Amino acid sequence: MSEPQALLVLPHLRIQNANAISSPMTWGFPAMSAFVGAMQALERKLPDHLELFFHSVGVICHGFDAQVTEGGFTKSFLLTRNPVGKDGGTAAIVEEGRVHLDVTLILAVSGDACAGDEQRRDAVALEVSEIVSSMRMAGGSVMPVLPGQRGPGKRPQLVTLAENAEDRDEQFLRLRRGWLPGFALVCRDDLLAERLDALREQDSQATELDACLDAASLTMHYVPEAPATWQAQKSPGWVVPIPVGYGALSPRYTAGTVTNARDATTDFRFVESLYSLGQWISPHRLRGPRELLWYPTSDPENGLYRLRNDYHPSLNG
């Protein structure tokens, strides 16, 4: 991904009842594909006079309130009661996981709207923020900002990044201070590869799925040294399994040939979720916007449609 021309910062969006079941195998924070989809939906909603083009998106999570039962080790989702059927019987319940979020969205943008003075750019950012407040995001509702809630550091910004690398670093340093306290989600494909290599030293038949499940598990090891004890397998940080896109299960079908497809004008393909490892890190550890931002890529020949993130752990220590 190339260096972004400008960053649109939408701070402290309150999302109510977002989807907490992000894939068939994971739950918790919504998948990054949900925020990429929201970015694309936002671009289509913009009026003609706002000449903005969206390229990638990053998320800082400030608050996470899963709607689950309290008490005990095992949690259950709080489910709504569906209305009874026509015969008066109880309708089937489809489990829905919900979570209330407080997030900051950072969008890499370009276009003529980025070229105005600071006052003009602030007006553009505020107008975009008002459009976002009427949208749904990750399956949840974006709550409008009430009077008095736009305190210092909570106003949307459209920041045109300098061409000079030193000035860009200074701009990003100021921005990331405003994202504290919070956590940014970055991709750690490298950790998945390392875990797979370690497992294959013990079992040559180990797969990437085994490595992903092992990374998500709390594993205890017996240490026979005196005194003998059990130790938990150490993690390099707050590492979690995440869905990162889709892999093809079938060839591409010509548009209109698959019955009940949502879009009869676009080619169709059956897919399944792709998984990798992600890590939640403090924004102050980010060295630049590219390490935060996620962007979609596609490789139809190999059947891969996934999100990428250019975080480099070797640069962050």
Side-chain angles (χ1 to χ4, degrees):
M1 184 185 74
S2 59
E3 290 291 343
Q5 173 185 339
L7 296 178
L8 174 63
V9 181
L10 304 176
H12 290 277
L13 298 176
R14 295 178 302 123
I15 306 174
Q16 192 172 64
N17 290 327
N19 182 18
I21 304 178
S22 54
S23 78
M25 292 180 56
T26 59
W27 83 276
F29 195 80
M32 283 304 302
S33 55
F35 294 100
V36 171
M39 174 186 73
Q40 294 170 340
L42 173 61
E43 186 172 22
R44 292 194 295 269
K45 279 180 172 288
L46 293 182
D48 293 339
H49 68 273
L50 288 181
E51 296 186 12
L52 278 178
F53 303 97
F54 295 82
H55 306 287
S56 53
V57 60
V59 177
I60 310 292
C61 183
H62 307 285
F64 180 92
D65 182 14
Q67 301 304 289
V68 296
T69 55
E70 299 293 334
F73 180 79
T74 302
K75 306 290 185 181
S76 299
F77 287 117
L78 299 176
L79 303 176
T80 57
R81 180 67 173 180
N82 295 340
V84 297
K86 292 181 180 179
D87 60 354
T90 302
I93 294 179
V94 178
E95 187 174 45
E96 296 180 350
R98 297 185 178 90
V99 60
H100 300 335
L101 300 172
D102 178 4
V103 298
T104 291
L105 291 189
I106 299 93
L107 301 129
V109 298
S110 62
D112 292 344
C114 304
D117 58 22
E118 183 176 357
Q119 185 176 359
R120 166 59 181 160
R121 285 186 277 112
D122 285 347
V124 169
L126 185 59
E127 186 172 354
V128 174
S129 177
E130 291 172 351
I131 295 173
V132 170
S133 66
S134 66
M135 294 176 57
R136 294 182 65 84
M137 190 170 295
S141 302
V142 180
M143 305 303 291
V145 178
L146 300 176
Q149 288 186 332
R150 286 247 192 252
K154 291 188 177 182
R155 296 189 63 82
Q157 297 175 272
L158 177 56
V159 180
T160 300
L161 298 176
E163 295 185 4
N164 180 276
E166 205 171 292
D167 293 338
R168 289 170 66 94
D169 291 343
E170 182 63 30
Q171 285 177 302
F172 189 73
L173 178 64
R174 290 196 300 269
L175 285 172
R176 71 183 189 183
R177 286 196 195 116
W179 301 335
L180 297 170
F183 291 91
L185 182 62
V186 297
C187 190
R188 296 302 308 270
D189 289 349
D190 59 303
L191 290 181
L192 184 62
E194 290 176 9
R195 187 63 60 93
L196 179 60
D197 291 340
L199 288 181
R200 284 183 173 170
E201 291 179 0
Q202 306 171 18
D203 179 5
S204 61
Q205 302 301 315
T207 65
E208 287 85 355
L209 179 59
D210 295 324
C212 190
L213 294 174
D214 184 64
S217 304
L218 177 61
T219 306
M220 303 296 291
H221 295 279
Y222 179 71
V223 181
E225 300 174 359
T229 183
W230 288 86
Q231 292 183 356
Q233 178 175 279
K234 292 185 178 180
S235 171
W238 187 358
V239 177
V240 293
I242 57 172
V244 292
Y246 303 96
L249 290 173
S250 73
R252 283 189 294 174
Y253 298 103
T254 305
T257 60
V258 178
T259 305
N260 296 329
R262 290 184 179 181
D263 186 352
T265 61
T266 304
D267 290 351
F268 186 92
R269 202 169 203 174
F270 290 97
V271 297
E272 64 179 347
S273 292
L274 297 177
Y275 300 91
S276 186
L277 294 180
Q279 183 175 8
W280 290 101
I281 64 174
S282 176
H284 79 274
R285 293 178 56 192
L286 298 168
R287 296 170 61 93
R290 289 181 57 184
E291 294 196 342
L292 169 67
L293 299 171
W294 293 74
Y295 55 95
T297 63
S298 62
D299 183 2
E301 295 301 321
N302 293 311
L304 293 177
Y305 308 87
R306 66 158 295 179
L307 301 179
R308 300 284 181 180
N309 168 254
D310 294 338
Y311 178 75
H312 298 292
S314 60
L315 299 177
N316 291 270

